[in-house]
Amino acid sequence: MNVTIFGTGYVGLVTGACLAEVGHNVTCVDIDEVKIENLKNAVMPIYEPGLDSIVKENYNAGRLHFTTDIEDGVKFANIQFIAVGTPPDEDGSADLQYVVAVAKSIGQYMNDEKIVIDKSTVPVGTGDRVREAISIEQSSRNIQLPFHVVSNPEFLKEGAAVNDFMKPDRIIIGTENKQAEKIIRELYAPFNRNHDRIIFMDVRSAELTKYAANSLLATKISFMNEISNLAERLGADIEKVRLGIGSDPRIGYDFIYPGCGYGGSCFPKDVQALSKTAKQVGYHAELLNAVEAVNYRQKDVLFNKITGHYNGVENLDGKIVSLWGLAFKPNTDDMREASSRSLMEALWEAGAIVQAYDPESMDEAQRIYGNRVDLKLMGTKESCLVNADMLVICTEWKQFRAPDFDQIRTTISEAVIFDGRNLYDPELLKEKGFSYYGIGRGDSIKKFN
Ligand SMILES: NC(=O)c1ccc[n+]([C@@H]2O[C@H](COP(=O)([O-])OP(=O)(O)OC[C@H]3O[C@@H](n4cnc5c(N)ncnc54)[C@H](O)[C@@H]3O)[C@@H](O)[C@H]2O)c1
């Protein structure tokens, strides 16, 4: 089948590459000329395991095309995906300008029937706005070609996006049109062979399903962080508590890791946007607001532990902080809303110098912060320790899990580790002569009571 995808970011590029991989003929459209030119030359705009090989193979096989020509994109296929960004607006609601711009382009250039599938995360009711934008453009052209607007929210996880797309837990389709349903079944048939993963519903329920899923996952994290803060003050170890509650199948082990706050391009903005949607319909979403507030506070936890250890923010002036992990989570280079960013910014404010290492996000950090004297981007996790006063961990990359502690102790000036992801055993670290601060556990307890 011919498919056009507007937006060649995490979602659009993965969707395009995976649809091409199973044999569809896909055109990816983006307004970012550099991105499209790079993709034509096999330069990936993002780090995502397994993505570059399927992009290259399908591009070379002629099943995956890249263009900035919007008209060509609209005319290429009956199936038009919208996968552009929906960043937070100033008030926290989702900014729909990119989604609406694509809808207008479709109305402007369409010359046959279209199925317009919205894959961006959009507030309930956006399907109607997309329909309206297309209709207005058609009216101004004095045409009335049939089209159907379908909601198909995406659930891929950065870092495992290709696998998630190829083997989805579920494919949510919001449509009440039988013809659209039939075409979408055919489109997704290659991903649906083992058992039927497609769940059909109305457009509004599909739109809300995406926000509900992300908000529930964010709730689990904020809940755990709330309990970890309590554990610290009560002399309990959150890691023991985690095992104790995770063993209940109604709770489960997933998404109950305490840490220095959630980030990324989805959870923070989606929780906020759902809360704004609630407000617009006169409902005060108390729980969602609390999830966000707890996360906001949690992003200060590492900085507070550091200032506690050094007896005040004024003593951080001139300190060199070795920071392991910049990405908001492992296996991605994405630093949007990453906990590392709020920590670095607080450290800089206090006059500290950050010496950082991340396996994939070094270019992204350079892009965001440029050259500054208080940020040194280091080539390895070992060189990141040299001349530093302390070690801080913000991302749980595998390569940070079993470091050479003796080398760390002899390289940094003081044997102190602030671990925002609870990677290490406090007892072991104590034996090795470290002051160790985790989240909600062990040695951090006494200091903060
Ligand atoms: N990143 C994720 O893990 C993830 C997961 C599920 C859902 N989502 C949702 O999917 C959507 C896209 O997210 P993303 O992370 O892929 O965004 P992104 O910022 O990585 O990419 C968006 C792309 O859209 C392009 N674009 C903007 N306007 C355009 C237009 N008029 N025509 C063509 N291209 C245009 C931009 O240049 C950019 O390359 C968002 O709504 C997001 O919430 C993201």
Side-chain angles (χ1 to χ4, degrees):
M1 297 167 96
N2 284 357
V3 180
T4 294
I5 300 177
F6 285 92
T8 313
Y10 284 87
V11 169
L13 185 57
V14 170
T15 303
C18 292
L19 289 173
E21 177 74 1
V22 298
H24 296 307
N25 195 15
V26 181
T27 288
C28 289
V29 186
D30 206 290
I31 49 172
D32 184 334
E33 288 177 12
V34 176
K35 196 180 261 193
I36 291 296
E37 224 22 66
N38 280 341
L39 279 163
K40 285 181 180 168
N41 292 308
V43 178
M44 292 299 116
I46 50 169
Y47 170 74
E48 190 57 53
L51 183 61
D52 59 345
S53 60
I54 60 169
V55 168
K56 280 176 206 160
E57 277 163 30
N58 286 286
Y59 181 72
N60 291 335
R63 280 190 301 270
L64 185 59
H65 320 270
F66 296 106
T67 184
T68 52
D69 190 324
I70 291 175
E71 182 172 354
D72 275 2
V74 175
K75 292 187 171 157
F76 178 77
N78 293 105
I79 301 174
Q80 306 266 304
F81 273 98
I82 304 179
V84 294
T86 46
D89 221 333
E90 269 162 29
D91 68 349
S93 58
D95 179 353
L96 292 177
Q97 62 167 309
Y98 306 105
V99 171
V100 172
V102 175
K104 281 186 180 165
S105 302
I106 294 172
Q108 203 179 340
Y109 296 118
M110 65 191 284
N111 53 0
D112 53 12
E113 184 167 354
K114 301 287 182 204
I115 302 208
V116 180
I117 308 177
D118 183 18
K119 221 175 215 325
S120 299
T121 302
V122 291
V124 176
T126 302
D128 298 335
R129 281 190 66 181
V130 167
R131 199 172 296 117
E132 189 188 36
I134 297 173
S135 297
I136 291 173
E137 290 300 320
Q138 286 216 55
S139 302
S140 69
R141 293 170 60 201
N142 284 323
I143 57 163
Q144 246 193 335
L145 296 166
F147 65 94
H148 313 285
V149 177
V150 174
S151 168
N152 170 214
E154 180 51 56
F155 295 92
L156 61 77
K157 300 183 286 297
E158 285 178 25
V162 172
N163 193 52
D164 286 348
F165 197 95
M166 297 305 281
K167 293 182 192 149
D169 299 326
R170 76 297 212 188
I171 301 167
I172 300 290
I173 303 294
T175 182
E176 282 158 286
N177 181 281
K178 287 290 158 205
Q179 196 201 341
E181 194 178 310
K182 192 166 161 270
I183 290 172
I184 283 166
R185 267 207 181 282
E186 194 184 335
L187 177 76
Y188 280 122
F191 307 93
N192 208 26
R193 290 170 66 85
N194 178 270
H195 63 275
D196 192 2
R197 295 174 168 94
I198 304 186
I199 303 171
F200 286 102
M201 56 183 76
D202 59 280
V203 174
R204 285 179 171 249
S205 301
E207 290 169 338
L208 185 56
T209 298
K210 174 66 192 176
Y211 281 102
N214 274 359
S215 298
L216 181 54
L217 294 171
T219 302
K220 286 185 90 173
I221 299 174
S222 274
F223 175 83
M224 233 19 217
N225 285 336
E226 183 103 296
I227 302 295
S228 75
N229 291 330
L230 264 178
E232 254 169 37
R233 286 157 180 81
L234 295 171
D237 182 352
I238 191 67
E239 288 301 327
K240 302 274 166 31
V241 177
R242 179 176 69 77
L243 296 174
I245 63 172
S247 55
D248 181 336
R250 294 171 303 176
I251 296 172
Y253 291 108
D254 291 336
F255 268 81
I256 57 166
Y257 288 93
C260 51
Y262 61 73
S265 70
C266 293
F267 289 1
K269 87 170 167 58
D270 291 350
V271 171
Q272 252 187 56
L274 186 54
S275 165
K276 288 290 163 199
T277 299
K279 205 170 167 194
Q280 281 158 12
V281 292
Y283 181 75
H284 180 68
E286 198 125 34
L287 182 57
L288 295 176
N289 296 342
V291 167
E292 195 195 342
V294 167
N295 193 55
Y296 189 73
R297 195 171 58 185
Q298 198 67 12
K299 287 192 170 170
D300 288 338
V301 158
L302 277 180
F303 185 71
N304 291 342
K305 285 177 194 285
I306 296 169
T307 49
H309 178 84
Y310 288 98
N311 296 316
V313 71
E314 61 282 5
N315 295 323
L316 296 183
D317 195 11
K319 285 266 180 301
I320 301 179
V321 180
S322 173
L323 175 61
W324 284 3
L326 294 168
F328 84 93
K329 68 172 181 177
N331 298 323
T332 181
D333 59 354
D334 198 339
M335 285 178 64
R336 288 179 281 187
E337 303 272 341
S339 304
S340 64
R341 292 177 67 169
S342 20
L343 175 65
M344 285 195 290
E345 285 158 26
L347 287 168
W348 290 331
E349 183 79 10
I353 293 157
V354 177
Q355 218 164 254
Y357 169 72
D358 185 282
E360 293 296 337
S361 297
M362 306 304 272
D363 291 347
E364 185 59 2
Q366 179 75 54
R367 189 190 67 78
I368 296 168
Y369 293 113
N371 294 327
R372 41 186 302 163
V373 285
D374 49 8
L375 174 63
K376 294 186 178 135
L377 296 171
M378 310 304 285
T380 61
K381 67 178 193 289
E382 290 79 16
S383 62
C384 186
L385 299 166
V386 177
N387 295 327
D389 294 301
M390 67 193 93
L391 172 62
V392 183
I393 295 157
C394 273
T395 319
E396 64 276 33
W397 284 94
K398 278 208 180 89
Q399 61 168 274
F400 300 154
R401 288 190 190 175
D404 181 341
F405 290 113
D406 296 330
Q407 189 206 10
I408 296 175
R409 202 190 51 245
T410 51
T411 312
I412 55 181
S413 76
E414 191 191 343
V416 56
I417 298 180
F418 301 91
D419 177 0
R421 299 295 169 190
N422 285 356
L423 296 186
Y424 309 132
D425 174 1
E427 288 305 315
L428 178 76
L429 276 264
K430 204 167 156 192
E431 270 170 37
K432 290 198 174 282
F434 283 92
S435 299
Y436 174 66
Y437 297 88
I439 304 287
R441 61 192 322 209
D443 282 354
S444 10
I445 296 163
K446 293 166 212 100
K447 201 95 192 172
F448 290 90
N449 268 339

